[in-house]
Amino acid sequence: MASDTASDDGYNNFLSFLHSAGSPAANGDVETATASRAENPTESSKESPDYSRTRVKRLDASSRRKFVSRRASTTEERRNPFAEREGNALIWRGVNMTLTTKRGEKKKLLSDVWGEVPPGEITAIMGPSGAGKSSLLNILSGRSRSTSSLSVESEIRMNEFKVDPTDIDVRKQIAFVAQDDSLSFTATPREAIRFSAKLRLPRITTDDEIEDLADKMLAELGLSDCADTMIGGALIKGISGGERKRTSVGVELVTKPSLVFLDEPTSGLDSFSAMQVIKVLKKIAHAGCSVLFTIHQPSSDVFNSFDRLILLNKGMVMYQGPVSDVPEYFAKHNHPMPPNYNPADWIMDVANQYSQEQLCQEGFFSRDLRNLPPAIVPKDKELLDSLGVSWHDDVSDDEWKHVGFGTEVRLLFKREIIHNTRNKKGVGARFALTTFMAILVGNIFFGVGGDSSFSDPSEFNSHFGAMVMILMMSMFGTAMPTLLSFPEERPVFLREYSTNHYSVIAYFIIVFNSNLQLCYFHTSAAMASVLLSIAYPLVGLQSGFMRFLSIEYGLAMSSTAVAVLLGCAVEDPNMATEFLPLLFVPQLLFAGFFVRTDLIPAWLRWAQYLCSLTYGVRLALLAEFGDCANDPSFTPNLCAQLLDVNQVDENEKALYWSILWGLFLVFRLSGLAVLRKKATKFY
Ligand SMILES: Nc1ncnc2c1ncn2[C@@H]1O[C@H](COP(=O)(O)OP(=O)(O)OP(=O)(O)O)[C@@H](O)[C@H]1O
């Protein structure tokens, strides 16, 4: 018979899970739990399992380590993505989410939601649109927290410990598959799964074992045929949407997590692929993992393969318990399921068709009747020791640790090289555009850099214009693509960072290097094609090729640093486009072309020190016109006048270089700080 609390079986499993490890609580502040009682007269406290009799276990670090070593000590076990693992149960109650509208009205989006995800089972969250499924999943996985207009309250436990899932260390214990697949578009499914395994499994795992893990995961998810096809994106055609979704699932499951959350893992999949994903989730659950996911309109086969169901309706728990009890539970509450009906459709029909008041009167929405045992408020390390599923650094044996910083950087670097090599369209378009612009500029300014320009005022102006134009082309050509591409790459970074792939510093080093490389590629390509073979000889510049190249490179690097900072700060590529004027207009205004900097209002003049173009131009002026300015044979001396108008002082050359590279460093480090802040707040 189905119970009114609708979850006795789950509770009993859960009780035995808590009983299994044995030793009583030792350290930690114990919090006394109070069980809320049903107001509904049909509920009886006798039907509530008595959690107060449960002895609270505490796994110490050494017993956890022994378990881990025993479990994955053979290479066979390490090769198997479905190897047996110790489960972690997640239990929650009193989850409330309240929105305060602009008019000050309070709207309850989640109301006293309770439940648990026992290890070894798959639990689905269902409910009508707007019921609060994603909100609940986000709160439980630490991706939602109180803001000025949204208040979030919850009491969440992992095993016997009270946890705050917004804490990055707790969040890293939960594998989370988001609805939008943030995957690197130039990687293949095999590479994406392998990358995740290499960075997240303990360093004892060999490359061979990782290959096997990836192969098995690809086969289970039906991805073997497209394993070596690029994932693809807006520019590059890649695998299908369903295959991409399954790759996202594989990327998380290959790390053998003990807790997995998935936001609509079957959306956009046909019924065969959906069943394939659910089968993999069941397999991982049978290995000891706890699986929780939201789902829309499952087929009856998919629905019947769930172990447990949480049915939300208007932010409240309408049903919670084993899926096998659903027909009896609904029948008992005046809604017997018609024969040959998909149970998922039936419960959604009932939830959608009847008012909350009527369903409440019929006995749905039972209160949380569990008598939870006291929760332990963990000390920092104790919590990690007890959860210890993701091979954190306080494991004393080196081989069980997370891979080192050097490996993180090496793997990220390798991926970045592959990304740049495969992103032929993006790099090719840049190269082609630069070549075209160089031919245009070279022809427009043909021969203006010759010796005669130093004595002919009109030629002299063109000579100066050509020089500035080449510098600006280089600056815009490197900074603009960086600003536009960085926000696109950011979701991949945030997903990977929040799931413990690597540190933010390792990532930033790669972005830094990659930009250096790309910038160098762009600049050298520009030099080879634009300056050397086209613009430099066509214009007839005089400063010397390598000298001009170094100035152009320094300018490109420091303006790209501003682009990286903006790219770190904005949320999406459209927003980045809005910020383009901020990147370039101040550079032009403070460079001294339109107005001398000493004529700018004093309170604004400091901004010139933030504009790299000013210093790039001053250095180029010295390189191009410095010799002529010191040559007494030119009277009047146009070069000396130009240096004077632009406030260029030969004795300050070292200062100009310092400011140029100083700006590069300051903006790069600010970008790192912003990224770090966003990454630790990511939810
Ligand atoms: N940050 C927020 N600010 C304002 N309202 C929010 C916020 N988050 C969620 N909501 C509201 O809470 C309700 C539940 O949203 P949620 O996305 O959790 O529903 P859902 O059950 O996942 O819906 P769907 O199935 O359509 O995705 C919706 O009415 C939504 O508009």
Side-chain angles (χ1 to χ4, degrees):
M1 181 189 142
S3 69
D4 269 316
T5 56
S7 51
D8 284 2
D9 283 359
Y11 291 168
N12 290 336
N13 289 343
F14 179 64
L15 277 172
S16 50
F17 168 74
L18 284 181
H19 274 301
S20 62
S23 71
N27 296 328
D29 307 324
V30 174
E31 208 187 59
T32 309
T34 53
S36 39
R37 294 285 162 209
E39 285 170 359
N40 191 324
T42 60
E43 312 291 352
S44 151
S45 62
K46 270 186 263 168
E47 287 167 318
S48 166
D50 183 4
Y51 280 95
S52 64
R53 285 182 287 111
T54 307
R55 290 168 76 202
V56 180
K57 67 164 185 168
R58 175 176 172 273
L59 279 183
D60 57 50
S62 61
S63 59
R64 169 75 58 165
R65 248 193 328 271
K66 272 183 213 144
F67 183 87
V68 167
S69 312
R70 185 186 60 73
R71 177 165 52 88
S73 58
T74 70
T75 180
E76 261 334 289
E77 284 169 322
R78 287 200 298 273
R79 285 176 197 275
N80 179 10
F82 304 100
E84 198 187 319
R85 68 207 66 185
E86 186 179 5
N88 275 329
L90 199 80
I91 308 138
W92 63 93
R93 65 178 177 188
V95 177
N96 289 295
M97 185 161 144
T98 312
L99 179 71
T100 308
T101 62
K102 280 186 183 151
R103 290 188 206 144
E105 292 156 4
K106 303 247 184 241
K107 189 179 164 200
K108 276 247 171 196
L109 303 177
L110 289 175
S111 190
D112 262 331
V113 173
W114 56 280
E116 74 258 342
V117 188
E121 299 190 354
I122 66 169
T123 304
I125 307 177
M126 287 180 62
S129 183
K133 303 180 289 295
S134 301
S135 302
L136 176 63
L137 200 72
N138 286 337
I139 292 173
L140 296 177
S141 59
R143 281 162 170 78
S144 182
R145 62 176 93 189
S146 294
T147 62
S148 53
S149 60
L150 203 66
S151 139
V152 174
E153 293 165 3
S154 62
E155 187 193 317
I156 300 172
R157 301 167 180 213
M158 206 177 276
N159 299 342
E160 67 279 25
F161 291 100
K162 185 173 182 177
V163 293
D164 171 8
T166 60
D167 179 334
I168 189 90
D169 286 327
V170 176
R171 225 163 50 200
K172 282 175 179 174
Q173 310 298 330
I174 303 171
F176 188 89
V177 182
Q179 218 172 327
D180 48 337
D181 311 306
S182 345
L183 297 164
S184 175
F185 67 91
T186 47
T188 65
R190 187 191 304 284
E191 285 165 351
I193 290 175
R194 209 160 44 189
F195 183 77
S196 167
K198 275 190 177 170
L199 281 171
R200 294 159 80 189
L201 287 172
R203 53 181 81 170
I204 190 178
T205 322
T206 63
D207 283 355
D208 263 7
E209 289 165 357
I210 285 173
E211 285 305 320
D212 260 20
L213 274 174
D215 280 348
K216 283 181 185 146
M217 190 46 83
L218 288 163
E220 284 295 335
L221 288 164
L223 291 169
S224 299
D225 288 346
C226 64
D228 300 306
T229 308
M230 257 195 271
I231 289 167
L235 275 180
I236 300 173
K237 170 83 189 96
I239 58 176
S240 72
E243 289 164 339
R244 198 174 305 156
K245 176 91 279 70
R246 281 179 278 152
T247 305
S248 297
V249 173
V251 160
E252 288 307 316
L253 297 194
V254 77
T255 62
K256 306 185 205 171
S258 69
L259 262 168
V260 187
F261 287 7
L262 306 98
D263 197 2
E264 302 199 13
T266 59
S267 72
L269 299 190
D270 57 46
S271 56
F272 177 77
S273 305
M275 197 60 203
Q276 212 168 10
V277 169
I278 298 297
K279 275 184 183 161
V280 174
L281 295 181
K282 280 212 82 116
K283 208 165 169 182
I284 213 111
H286 286 155
C289 180
S290 319
V291 181
L292 177 70
F293 55 91
T294 59
I295 194 161
H296 268 289
Q297 295 198 309
S299 67
S300 53
D301 279 354
V302 167
F303 181 83
N304 287 321
S305 60
F306 303 158
D307 295 305
R308 297 176 60 80
L309 173 72
I310 297 170
L311 178 62
L312 291 181
N313 188 359
K314 300 207 169 88
M316 290 171 71
V317 181
M318 181 169 157
Y319 171 85
Q320 160 133 232
V323 160
S324 52
D325 287 354
V326 168
E328 208 175 335
Y329 186 84
F330 273 67
K332 194 176 162 191
H333 293 87
N334 301 339
H335 295 282
M337 192 164 57
N340 303 325
Y341 215 92
N342 175 354
D345 290 345
W346 176 244
I347 62 172
M348 292 294 280
D349 285 352
V350 173
N352 276 314
Q353 278 175 22
Y354 299 93
S355 70
Q356 209 169 9
E357 290 71 32
Q358 180 177 341
L359 293 170
C360 209
Q361 278 167 10
E362 287 170 341
F364 290 99
F365 301 106
S366 70
R367 290 289 183 110
D368 182 4
L369 301 177
R370 299 169 300 176
N371 189 10
L372 293 173
I376 300 174
V377 179
K379 312 271 186 282
D380 292 348
K381 284 289 174 195
E382 182 188 350
L383 172 69
L384 288 175
D385 284 342
S386 83
L387 302 177
V389 287
S390 61
W391 322 103
H392 46 85
D393 289 342
D394 55 354
V395 176
S396 61
D397 305 336
D398 268 359
E399 57 188 12
W400 293 103
K401 282 186 181 168
H402 188 274
V403 293
F405 182 73
T407 310
E408 289 178 0
V409 170
R410 185 172 55 79
L411 292 176
L412 274 167
F413 192 63
K414 195 172 156 196
R415 184 174 74 172
E416 204 58 38
I417 300 252
I418 292 175
H419 175 77
N420 288 337
T421 320
R422 289 189 187 157
N423 188 15
K424 289 194 184 91
K425 275 193 182 164
V427 176
R430 270 197 212 185
F431 185 81
L433 195 68
T434 309
T435 308
F436 172 75
M437 295 300 287
I439 295 172
L440 192 66
V441 169
N443 279 290
I444 289 175
F445 291 99
F446 184 74
V448 298
D451 284 345
S452 58
S453 71
F454 295 125
S455 45
D456 176 346
S458 63
E459 231 178 286
F460 184 80
N461 277 344
S462 304
H463 186 169
F464 172 61
M467 188 203 79
V468 170
M469 190 45 103
I470 291 171
L471 287 177
M472 290 205 312
M473 267 171 52
S474 168
M475 190 181 89
F476 293 167
T478 49
M480 205 159 67
T482 306
L483 174 64
L484 297 179
S485 68
F486 203 73
E488 262 175 21
E489 289 168 20
R490 218 177 55 161
V492 180
F493 159 73
L494 290 175
R495 175 183 64 74
E496 291 178 341
Y497 176 76
S498 72
T499 46
N500 208 16
H501 278 67
Y502 43 72
S503 70
V504 71
I505 296 179
Y507 176 75
F508 204 78
I509 286 175
I510 298 312
V511 172
F512 180 94
N513 269 332
S514 149
N515 285 157
L516 245 165
Q517 244 191 3
L518 260 188
C519 190
Y520 180 73
F521 175 68
H522 176 274
T523 315
S524 57
M527 286 309 115
S529 62
V530 179
L531 295 177
L532 192 65
S533 59
I534 313 171
Y536 193 88
L538 285 180
V539 175
L541 293 177
Q542 312 237 346
S543 42
F545 178 78
M546 288 313 291
R547 206 165 163 203
F548 201 88
L549 170 65
S550 58
I551 295 166
E552 193 181 1
Y553 185 62
L555 174 63
M557 290 306 297
S558 58
S559 36
T560 307
V562 185
V564 170
L565 171 60
L566 284 176
C568 290
V570 299
E571 301 295 329
D572 69 271
N574 292 337
M575 184 96 92
T577 320
E578 303 285 329
F579 274 94
L580 273 178
L582 193 62
L583 193 61
F584 300 124
V585 174
Q587 296 273 11
L588 297 176
L589 286 178
F590 287 96
F593 307 145
F594 305 114
V595 56
R596 280 177 64 104
T597 39
D598 51 5
L599 296 178
I600 292 174
W603 61 272
L604 260 180
R605 222 172 287 159
W606 58 269
Q608 66 180 296
Y609 298 109
L610 298 178
C611 297
S612 47
L613 184 62
T614 312
Y615 301 95
V617 167
R618 286 185 187 180
L619 286 166
L621 281 171
L622 279 173
E624 193 69 21
F625 301 104
D627 289 346
C628 131
N630 293 326
D631 188 341
S633 63
F634 291 108
T635 42
N637 193 318
L638 296 173
C639 299
Q641 285 171 12
L642 183 67
L643 297 191
D644 184 47
V645 167
N646 285 282
Q647 297 158 281
V648 182
D649 182 346
E650 191 159 11
N651 300 322
E652 290 184 346
K653 201 158 123 187
L655 178 72
Y656 302 155
W657 274 116
S658 311
I659 295 179
L660 206 57
W661 285 105
L663 285 174
F664 170 72
L665 273 179
V666 167
F667 285 122
R668 275 298 162 110
L669 292 176
S670 309
L672 174 62
V674 170
L675 199 62
R676 200 171 195 163
K677 190 150 183 161
K678 297 247 173 192
T680 42
K681 276 190 158 181
F682 171 61
Y683 41 84

